[in-house]
């Protein structure tokens, strides 16, 4: 596919027009500060551009002036910059139609009037087509042709006989000599789209890099992906596919790949909505039958890969500054390049704040897309084989047992039927629910266990003489912990054995609470008004919590934390955060466990309530559901 009507080399043409337009003042270039932060294990560019804040303030002043004059504020997309663009910004008219009329253009190449990266240009349809409609074969053909034409000026072959695109890009990324483009498309009102006239944007990779290449940053779309195309290191769901020489020669093949990824994104949105009563992906089912997109999404392309990200909302929220002000950050398709733009110094500082900044970035990205299970599995410093336990206990505490089947499905997705790994996941999850029951409430634990059992065994259990495993390889019989606990309670061998169990529990209690163990026990016995409370705690620690046949003592601490975070019980949570440290956990591990549970709670609708906003505050102005105490900061306090 070639760019018909384009007489000059694309890269040289764009660079010449950009320089001329900048000199004449026809475009306004804004410089940025640039650094690299991390979202999980992925390096992300962070750009700070104060000019964005100034532009937003100017728009607010203009709206205020209209309101003062009694005029309605003009719609944000009323002015169409691609309808007869200024000559200073118009690069060329091109044709990408399969059967083009000689001399007839289908698309325009136009400079971005307000770039923050040099040589930022746009491919727009010459005639008006809506940004929310599905892309056509000509749009994608023109996009890929631009990507390949840009690289062709380095002498790289564009014909089908050349080297594979992936090989060329490996060379380019390693040597720094290759010149590449990143293309992205924002579709739908939650995608970050700024104009309704269909347009695809291009950013030169070498102009994006700045000095960040030596810090490990490269295009997110070119990171290694799992074979299925699901980017498992990301906090949001994406779907991707490689582009080959077949896509370069066949616009039909290119368009079919795009449609396949789009439909995967729509299915992911449906699955997410089926599990969530609130905070859902906005969908318009059946709309794509008429050529409209049913969801908001971002699409990105290089010459070697296409990737799509379904969107839940345009903006993510970030709590910044000493006053805990909430700042809203708009995210568009550049997130698929692995870059994010902020407009205030407070936002810049909050996201550069070490591990806490990485957590904030992951939470922001999680909020704008469909959260992936990888956002929990790959949380930095998260102890092995705990993500599904933490998620299960948090959801049980939140009284959402119907979501546990999805957690189990993800947990056993890569285990073989009848395997020890699959049985271990089932036993560990059951044991975690048993250990959480005294903290979350037995009714919730009972409902969660029944929901888990229904997910494990959709069919009725076999008679006692049957096998101990079902067709899915999940053992129906009790775990080792369940057997030993039942024997100790229902069939004690001697009073000495019972005393030993209580002693084991006391030892765990002493380890968890450290020097505070005796004062805490005395407080429960002498000042609670219920002297038998201490006896019940001793039974709980002896027969339930200190049993390490299935979950270790430290894993039991993770269960306790997962059960306490959603309940807004600050003293008890603080005690168990410190208890995990007393058992040898690292501070990073404690923070990671807390972060995963907080994210589950936030996905369910919980929020931190500050000051007079808090439910139950003296003003009575608070409303909603969240944490009154400083639950989000407790692990940092514990570090002191």
């Amino acid at each position: 596919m070639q760019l018909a009507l384009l007489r000059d080399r694309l890269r040289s043409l764009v660079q010449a027009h950009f320089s001329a337009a900048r000199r004449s003042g026809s475009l306004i270039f804004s410089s940025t500060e640039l650094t690299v932060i991390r979202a999980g294990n992925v390096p992300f560019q962070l750009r700070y551009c104060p000019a964005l804040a100034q532009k937003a303030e100017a728009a607010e002043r203009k709206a205020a002036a209209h309101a003062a004059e009694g005029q309605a504020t003009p719609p944000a997309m009323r002015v169409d910059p691609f309808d007869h663009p200024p000559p200073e910004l118009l690069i060329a008219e091109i044709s990408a139609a399969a059967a083009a009329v000689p001399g007839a253009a289908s698309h325009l190449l136009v400079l971005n009037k307000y770039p923050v990266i040099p040589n930022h240009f746009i491919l727009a349809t010459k005639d008006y087509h809506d940004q929310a409609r599905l892309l056509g074969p000509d749009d994608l053909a023109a996009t890929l042709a631009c990507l390949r034409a840009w690289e062709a000026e380095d002498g790289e072959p564009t014909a089908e006989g050349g080297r594979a695109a992936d090989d060329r890009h490996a060379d380019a990324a390693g040597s720094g000599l290759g010149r590449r483009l990143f293309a992205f498309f924002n579709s739908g009102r939650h995608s970050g789209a700024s104009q309704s006239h269909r347009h695809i944007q291009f950013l030169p990779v070498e102009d994006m890099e700045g000095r960040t290449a030596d810090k490990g940053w490269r295009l997110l779309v070119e990171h290694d992906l799992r074979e299925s195309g699901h980017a498992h290191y990301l906090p949001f769901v994406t779907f991707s596919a490689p582009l080959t020489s077949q896509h370069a020669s066949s616009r039909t093949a290119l368009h079919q790949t795009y449609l396949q990824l789009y439909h995967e994104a729509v299915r992911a949105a449906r699955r997410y909505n089926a599990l969530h009563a609130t905070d859902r992906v906005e969908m318009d089912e059946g709309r794509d039958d008429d050529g409209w997109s049913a969801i908001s999404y971002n699409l990105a392309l290089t010459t070697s890969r296409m990737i799509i990200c379904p969107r839940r909302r345009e903006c993510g929220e970030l709590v910044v500054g000493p006053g805990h002000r909430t700042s809203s950050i708009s995210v568009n398709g550049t997130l698929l390049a692995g870059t994010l733009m902020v407009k205030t110094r407070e936002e810049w500082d909050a996201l550069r704040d070490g591990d806490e900044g990485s957590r904030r970035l992951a939470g922001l990205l999680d909020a704008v897309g469909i959260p992936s299970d990888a956002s929990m599995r790959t949380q930095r410093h998260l102890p092995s084989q705990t993500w599904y336990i933490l998620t299960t206990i948090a959801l049980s505490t939140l009284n959402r047992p119907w979501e546990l089947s999805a957690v189990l499905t993800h947990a056993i997705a890569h285990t073989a039927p009848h395997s020890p790994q699959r049985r271990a996941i089932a036993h560990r999850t059951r044991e975690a629910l048993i250990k959480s029951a005294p903290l979350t409430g037995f009714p919730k634990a009972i409902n969660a266990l029944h929901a888990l059992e229904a997910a494990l065994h959709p069919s009725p259990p076999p008679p006692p003489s049957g096998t101990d495993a079902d067709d899915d390889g999940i053992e129906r019989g009790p775990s080792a912990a369940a057997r030993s606990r039942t024997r100790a309670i229902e069939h004690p061998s001697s009073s000495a054995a019972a005393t030993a169990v209580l002693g084991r529990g006391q030892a765990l209690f002493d380890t968890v609470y450290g020097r505070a163990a005796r004062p805490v026990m005395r407080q429960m016995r002498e000042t609670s008004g219920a002297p038998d409370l201490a006896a019940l705690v001793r039974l709980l620690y002896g027969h339930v919590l200190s049993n390490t046949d299935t979950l270790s003592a430290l894993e039991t601490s993770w269960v306790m934390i997962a059960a306490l975070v959603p309940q807004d019980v600050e003293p008890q949570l603080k005690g168990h955060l410190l208890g995990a440290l007393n058992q040898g956990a690292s501070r990073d591990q404690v923070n990671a466990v807390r972060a995963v549970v907080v994210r589950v709670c936030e996905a369910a609708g919980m929020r931190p309530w500050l000051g007079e906003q808090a439910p139950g505050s003296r003003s009575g102005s608070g409303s909603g559901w969240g944490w009154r105490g400083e639950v989000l900061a407790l692990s940092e306090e514990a570090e002191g």
Side-chain angles (χ1 to χ4, degrees), residues 164-347:
D166 287 333
D167 294 339
R168 297 201 308 272
H169 293 310
D171 294 347
S175 66
L177 298 176
R179 302 295 185 94
R180 295 171 296 145
L181 272 181
F182 169 78
F184 67 98
F185 175 67
N186 309 315
S187 182
R189 72 190 193 95
H190 299 295
S191 68
S194 59
Q195 299 294 334
S196 63
H197 187 139
R198 184 180 299 171
H199 63 288
I200 297 164
Q201 303 185 60
F202 295 88
L203 295 171
V205 176
E206 68 272 16
D207 290 323
M208 297 177 68
E209 281 177 341
R211 298 180 179 179
T212 61
D214 58 346
K215 297 181 181 179
W217 179 85
R218 61 191 177 103
L219 287 177
L220 185 150
V221 63
E222 293 181 351
H223 278 272
D224 292 335
L225 300 176
R226 203 179 72 175
E227 288 183 1
S228 67
H230 192 148
H232 265 271
Y233 48 79
L234 296 172
F236 51 86
V237 168
T238 64
F239 300 94
S240 70
L243 298 182
T244 66
S245 57
Q246 179 186 10
H247 296 97
S249 59
S250 169
R251 68 188 62 225
T252 300
L254 184 63
H255 192 242
Q256 285 300 315
T257 296
Y258 158 71
L259 291 178
Q260 289 169 4
L261 295 181
Y262 164 77
H263 288 301
E264 285 192 67
V266 171
R267 286 192 290 271
R270 289 195 188 107
R271 288 194 298 269
Y272 180 83
N273 284 352
L275 293 172
H276 296 80
T278 60
D279 198 26
R280 293 154 60 90
V281 179
E282 184 178 281
M283 297 188 68
D284 191 347
E285 293 282 8
R287 199 168 184 237
D288 47 6
D289 293 338
D290 297 323
W292 293 89
S293 175
I295 60 171
S296 296
Y297 67 94
N298 300 117
L299 177 76
L301 294 90
T302 63
T303 54
S304 61
R305 186 165 289 275
M306 182 187 295
I307 186 170
I308 195 168
C309 171
R311 292 290 296 272
R312 202 156 33 116
R313 58 172 69 92
E314 177 186 349
C315 297
E317 292 184 349
L318 189 65
V319 177
V320 300
H324 300 284
R325 179 177 62 85
T326 299
S327 184
S328 184
I329 297 177
S330 177
V331 180
N332 65 13
T334 56
L335 92 162
L336 295 175
T339 186
L340 182 72
M341 190 94 66
V342 296
K343 58 182 180 290
T344 71
R345 175 64 64 175
E346 286 181 326
E347 295 167 348

Side-chain angles (χ1 to χ4, degrees), residues 6 10 36 51 89 121 170 181 202 207 233 288-289 311 325 406 423 439 453 467 498-499 530 533 562 569 597 631:
L6 187 62
L10 178 61
V36 173
L89 299 180
F121 72 100
L181 272 181
F202 295 88
D207 290 323
Y233 48 79
D288 47 6
D289 293 338
R311 292 290 296 272
R325 179 177 62 85
R423 286 193 294 274
L439 282 78
E453 189 66 11
T467 63
T499 301
L533 177 61
V569 284
V597 180
V631 169

